[in-house]
């Protein structure tokens, strides 16, 4: 617990009896306090909901009323899994990428590949003619290599299979050939395009990825019951291709991309549910169509958590008095920053001029609007705070006073940002890529890895995020991979260390298949004949340090003494 957290008292103390607090929730759930008579009798009598007080009244900052009590938290935060940590890390990823999801990927990829190859005129030497149906094991190895590429970063995918000695990574070649990796990535598919009907589909713009999104959202929700404090924010996945619902958000690191609305657990950053924004056709709950878009986002994401006493933290894109009233009616608290131009915000609060450190507040029922002057004016809305100031030590060992609502907002708003920060370090999503649905799929793989890591930590795991991913890769390769022993052509570029150190010539030893095996001479094969084709010459000798075949004379001398040949 840090110093800031030690200065914050527990708000649960306000949910007790009336003798402990001037304010309380009555039998209907309405908030009663000394200022509740600000509204007219007609408005109070005509209202049956939880927000009986309709007019905002200014509070006396020198003697503020007690904060509104929180709604009783009736949920039971837990992870709904029977997992033994000794069984390894892979079981946490298997929760989301289970057999059902892998079956969808395998079947749709094979169907799409067969349909595409059958309906296209391929060149005689096209790689697609060597396509063979993929399997669950191969798809999981394919995913493992994509995760590894987010850790071992290179400018181009083909570089992972490069034979240049200074940049080679032989592990990729041993696990899967580049041609096979490229073919799987090329035909990777997640839905049947032949059965698509725009008039009947739930979300037409995401039809290519809809089975994956639907499956993962369900698994995210079913796996845990989050703790009381949750947060909603948007996340932007970098994408600069042609897509008419692509977003431009200058304050984000990516700026251009595909936006998602995400509901996270505040403390851990676990992604409980997400909605991918697709413009006016974004899929929201039909019960909230009369609300503005930002409120539709909140109510759709919060639907499984309503009426359970959760406390939601949002930024000023979502927060409004209207949304607070709706959430109060569903026994859910909210706090967050606020735009003063929102509907129902008192004009007096908008025009109020404050000096540095000053604070003012208006209240209506459980809804409290607070304006505080820091370096610039900061406006917040809360249903669980009053305008009380607390002392906070600064980095200069000075004691400053800040509103308590500001401190708790800072402590509970970072769930989505924490996830984005970790995904930026080891991104599975490549910067380049024209197919938007493939980029979204790899982004969802990234999110699933993050959720798996959070679950691993909740079970007492000690690995860091990096080591967790590396262990996932190792376990996927061990369980589903096979070592590719097939050797290709010798590397085009010579080993730069051949001109240094001492080198010795050895005879290639016998193998199970051949008693006198040979290899191509590197120097001879770098030459071309009169027809422009490479000369192929076999030799029984090789340099073990450089791992190349070489003729006894003069190729061994040429290779280790001349920079060019």
């Amino acid at each position: 617990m840090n110093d800031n957290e030690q200065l914050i008292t527990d708000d649960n103390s306000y949910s007790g009896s009336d003798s402990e607090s001037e304010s309380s929730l009555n039998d209907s759930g309405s908030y009663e306090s000394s200022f509740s008579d600000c509204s007219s009798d007609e408005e109070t009598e005509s209202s049956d909901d939880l927000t009986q007080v309709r007019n905002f009244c200014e509070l006396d900052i020198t003697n503020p009323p007690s904060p509104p009590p929180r709604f009783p938290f009736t949920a039971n935060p837990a992870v709904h899994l029977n997992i033994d940590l000794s069984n390894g890390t892979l079981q946490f990823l298997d929760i989301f990428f289970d057999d059902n999801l892998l079956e969808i990927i395998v079947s749709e990829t094979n169907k799409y590949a067969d349909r595409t190859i059958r309906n296209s005129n391929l060149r005689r030497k096209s790689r697609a003619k060597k396509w063979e149906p993929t399997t669950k094991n191969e798809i999981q190895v394919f995913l493992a290599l994509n995760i590894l590429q987010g850790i071992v970063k290179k400018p181009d995918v083909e570089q992972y299979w490069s034979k240049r000695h200074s940049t080679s990574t032989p592990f990729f070649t041993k696990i899967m050939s580049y041609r096979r990796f490229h073919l799987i990535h090329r035909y990777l598919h997640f839905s049947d395009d032949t059965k698509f009907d725009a008039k009947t589909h739930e979300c037409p713009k995401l039809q290519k990825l809809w089975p994956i999104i639907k499956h993962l959202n369900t698994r995210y929700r079913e796996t845990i019951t989050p703790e009381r404090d949750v947060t909603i924010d948007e996340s932007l996945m970098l994408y600069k291709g042609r897509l008419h619902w692509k977003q431009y958000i200058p304050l984000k690191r990516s700026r251009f991309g595909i936006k998602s609305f995400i509901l996270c657990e505040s403390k851990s950053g676990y992604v409980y549910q997400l909605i991918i924004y697709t413009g006016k056709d974004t899929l929201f709950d039909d019960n909230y169509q009369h609300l503005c878009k930002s409120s539709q986002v909140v109510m759709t994401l919060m639907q499984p958590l309503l009426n359970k006493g959760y406390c939601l933290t949002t930024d000023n894109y979502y927060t409004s008095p209207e949304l607070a009233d709706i959430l109060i009616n569903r026994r859910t608290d909210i706090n967050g920053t606020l735009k003063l131009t929102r509907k129902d915000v008192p004009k007096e609060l908008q025009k109020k001029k404050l000096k540095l450190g000053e604070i003012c507040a208006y209240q209506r029922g459980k809804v409290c609007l607070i304006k505080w002057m820091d370096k610039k004016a900061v406006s917040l809305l809360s249903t669980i705070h009053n305008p009380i100031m607390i002392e906070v030590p600064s980095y200069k060992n000075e004691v400053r006073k800040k509103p308590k609502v500001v401190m708790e907002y800072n402590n509970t708003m970072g769930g989505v940002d924490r996830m984005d920060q970790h995904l930026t370090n080891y991104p599975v999503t490549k910067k380049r890529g024209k197919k938007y649905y493939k980029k979204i799929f790899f982004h969802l793989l990234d999110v699933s890895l993050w959720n798996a890591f959070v679950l691993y930590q909740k079970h007492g795991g000690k690995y860091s995020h990096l080591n967790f991913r590396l262990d996932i890769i190792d376990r996927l390769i061990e369980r589903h991979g096979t070592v590719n022993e097939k050797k290709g052509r010798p590397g085009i570029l010579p080993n730069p260390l051949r001109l240094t150190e001492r080198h010795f010539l050895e005879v290639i030893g016998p193998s199970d298949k051949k008693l006198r095996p040979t290899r191509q001479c590197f120097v001879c094969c770098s030459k071309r004949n009169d027809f422009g084709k490479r000369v192929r010459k076999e030799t029984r000798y090789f340099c073990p340090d450089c791992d190349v075949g070489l003729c006894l004379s003069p190729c061994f001398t040429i290779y280790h003494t001349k920079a060019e040949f």
Side-chain angles (χ1 to χ4, degrees):
M1 181 177 290
N2 57 35
D3 296 338
N4 294 345
E5 290 175 333
Q6 293 175 350
L7 294 170
I8 298 173
T9 58
D10 186 3
D11 281 348
N12 287 330
S13 60
Y14 297 110
S15 59
S17 64
D18 293 344
S19 61
E20 296 177 359
S21 173
E22 295 179 10
S23 57
S24 64
L25 290 172
N26 63 21
D27 294 338
S28 64
S30 301
Y31 174 56
E32 297 175 346
S33 69
S34 57
F35 51 80
S36 62
D37 57 354
C38 294
S39 63
S40 64
D41 294 338
E42 296 179 0
E43 289 176 321
T44 306
E45 292 175 0
S46 61
S47 177
D48 293 328
D49 60 5
L50 300 182
T51 56
Q52 293 181 8
V53 183
R54 303 311 303 165
N55 294 332
F56 280 102
C57 296
E58 187 171 5
L59 300 182
D60 182 5
I61 302 302
T62 60
N63 186 26
S66 299
R70 293 179 183 267
F71 288 110
F73 184 54
T74 58
N76 182 24
V79 179
H80 309 301
L81 298 172
N82 292 321
I83 282 183
D84 183 1
L85 193 62
S86 62
N87 292 331
T89 58
L90 188 55
Q91 57 187 329
F92 294 98
L93 182 61
D94 290 340
I95 297 166
F96 309 113
F97 274 72
D98 54 14
D99 286 340
N100 294 331
L101 186 64
L102 292 171
E103 183 61 38
I104 293 172
I105 299 172
V106 170
S107 61
E108 296 301 334
T109 298
N110 287 332
K111 285 194 290 186
Y112 178 71
D114 293 339
R115 187 169 62 250
T116 304
I117 294 170
R118 187 172 58 252
N119 297 334
S120 58
N121 296 322
L122 301 176
R123 297 194 305 272
R124 185 172 61 88
K125 294 185 178 182
S126 174
R127 291 179 180 176
K129 288 188 175 182
K130 296 184 179 180
W131 168 261
E132 295 178 0
T134 188
T135 61
K136 289 182 184 179
N137 286 338
E138 190 175 43
I139 286 294
Q140 291 195 304
V141 173
F142 172 80
L143 295 178
L145 293 181
N146 276 279
I147 298 170
L148 183 57
Q149 288 173 10
I151 300 172
V152 182
K153 298 177 182 178
K154 293 193 178 185
D156 190 6
V157 174
E158 197 169 354
Q159 289 295 317
Y160 291 100
W161 283 266
S162 171
K163 293 183 179 180
R164 180 186 289 269
H165 291 274
S166 54
T167 59
S168 65
T169 44
F171 181 78
F172 286 86
T173 304
K174 292 180 180 179
I175 301 304
M176 183 181 290
S177 69
Y178 173 69
R179 287 187 177 183
R180 186 59 182 172
F181 182 90
H182 175 75
L183 280 176
I184 294 174
H185 190 277
R186 177 179 176 180
Y187 293 121
L188 192 64
H189 223 66
F190 315 103
S191 67
D192 193 346
D193 297 336
T194 59
K195 297 180 180 179
F196 170 64
D197 186 357
K199 296 181 180 179
T200 59
H201 198 277
E202 294 179 75
C203 190
K205 292 183 179 178
L206 291 174
Q207 64 90 11
K208 285 184 174 293
L209 205 67
W210 190 243
I212 307 297
I213 297 173
K214 204 171 180 179
H215 174 90
L216 290 177
N217 261 332
T218 302
R219 296 301 295 154
Y220 294 161
R221 291 194 303 269
E222 292 176 348
T223 302
I224 77 164
T225 298
E227 297 179 4
R228 182 188 62 184
D229 292 317
V230 294
T231 181
I232 290 178
D233 202 358
E234 64 267 4
S235 176
L236 195 69
M237 183 198 74
L238 176 65
Y239 182 74
K240 294 186 177 181
R242 292 184 179 180
L243 194 65
H244 70 274
W245 36 274
K246 178 179 64 179
Q247 293 289 290
Y248 172 67
I249 304 179
L251 296 180
K252 295 290 185 181
R253 182 176 180 179
S254 300
R255 293 193 299 160
F256 292 95
I258 298 171
K259 184 167 71 173
S260 300
F261 301 110
I262 298 179
L263 171 62
C264 274
E265 191 179 54
S266 295
K267 184 178 179 180
S268 66
Y270 179 90
V271 177
Y272 184 75
Q273 191 172 199
L274 59 84
I275 298 173
I276 297 176
Y277 178 75
T278 57
K280 64 179 181 180
D281 296 328
T282 305
L283 189 63
F284 297 122
D285 195 314
D286 293 337
N287 296 324
Y288 307 109
Q289 288 184 347
H290 61 284
L291 301 177
C292 64
K293 290 295 183 184
S294 60
S295 296
Q296 288 186 52
V297 172
V298 173
M299 297 307 296
T300 302
L301 290 173
M302 285 293 295
Q303 186 63 37
L305 305 180
L306 296 175
N307 299 311
K308 297 178 181 178
Y310 276 93
C311 184
L312 173 66
T313 307
T314 57
D315 62 19
N316 59 18
Y317 175 74
Y318 308 95
T319 314
S320 68
E322 177 191 35
L323 176 62
D325 291 343
I326 297 170
L327 288 173
I328 290 172
N329 280 312
R330 304 300 296 272
R331 311 191 73 80
T332 303
D333 286 309
I334 181 174
N335 73 91
T337 53
L338 174 71
K339 291 181 181 178
L340 293 180
T341 54
R342 288 282 192 175
K343 182 181 177 182
D344 293 340
V345 175
K347 298 293 183 182
E348 296 82 0
L349 184 63
Q350 299 180 26
K351 298 176 182 178
K352 183 85 69 172
K353 301 295 183 182
L354 301 174
K355 296 180 181 179
L356 182 65
E358 286 187 340
I359 186 173
C360 66
Y362 284 74
Q363 187 126 9
R364 181 183 74 185
K366 268 177 68 71
V367 181
C368 182
L369 308 182
I370 299 172
K371 185 176 182 180
W372 172 58
M373 179 58 71
D374 191 24
K375 294 181 179 178
K376 62 179 181 178
V378 179
S379 304
L380 302 104
L381 177 150
S382 178
T383 62
I384 57 174
H385 294 96
N386 61 349
I388 188 174
M389 305 286 283
I390 60 174
E391 293 184 347
V392 180
S394 68
Y395 66 94
K396 294 182 180 179
N397 294 325
E398 299 174 354
V399 177
R400 296 184 58 197
K401 283 194 172 183
K402 291 185 178 182
K404 183 178 179 181
V405 61
V406 172
M407 299 305 301
E408 294 202 5
Y409 172 82
N410 292 336
N411 290 335
T412 58
M413 187 57 200
V416 177
D417 293 334
R418 184 177 296 109
M419 179 206 71
D420 282 338
Q421 179 183 6
H422 281 83
L423 297 194
T424 302
N425 294 333
Y426 319 109
V428 179
T429 310
K430 310 296 187 300
K431 285 187 176 181
R432 296 173 182 172
K434 297 180 180 179
K435 303 293 185 182
Y436 74 91
Y437 61 91
K438 292 182 183 178
K439 293 205 72 170
I440 296 176
F441 169 76
F442 286 116
H443 179 67
L444 292 175
L445 173 60
D446 239 346
V447 173
S448 299
L449 282 164
W450 166 249
N451 276 358
F453 175 64
V454 173
L455 295 177
Y456 169 76
Q457 286 188 315
K458 285 178 177 286
H459 281 76
K462 302 300 182 182
Y463 280 156
S464 65
H465 188 206
L466 172 60
N467 289 332
F468 175 81
R469 290 196 173 214
L470 289 172
D471 195 64
I472 286 283
I473 294 165
D474 292 343
R475 302 291 84 77
L476 283 172
I477 299 299
E478 286 176 5
R479 185 195 292 182
H480 306 288
T482 56
V483 178
N484 182 14
E485 297 292 351
K486 183 179 178 181
K487 292 183 176 291
R489 296 176 182 174
I492 298 175
L493 298 174
N495 187 346
L497 297 177
R498 73 190 192 282
L499 302 179
T500 62
E501 304 175 347
R502 300 177 66 185
H503 299 267
F504 301 93
L505 200 63
E506 292 186 10
V507 178
I508 302 173
S511 63
D512 296 337
K513 294 182 179 181
K514 289 186 178 180
L515 187 62
R516 296 168 57 88
T518 61
R519 295 176 64 174
Q520 295 183 31
C521 175
F522 188 94
V523 176
C524 294
C525 291
S526 64
K527 302 175 183 177
R528 294 185 180 273
N529 59 20
D530 297 338
F531 301 99
K533 293 185 178 181
R534 283 188 179 178
V535 175
R536 179 181 177 123
K537 187 173 181 180
E538 300 291 326
T539 177
R540 291 202 58 226
Y541 300 94
F542 80 113
C543 175
D545 295 325
C546 302
D547 193 26
V548 293
L550 293 167
C551 295
L552 182 60
S553 177
C555 297
F556 181 83
T557 304
I558 293 174
Y559 183 82
H560 291 104
T561 56
K562 293 186 178 181
E564 296 181 2
F565 43 82

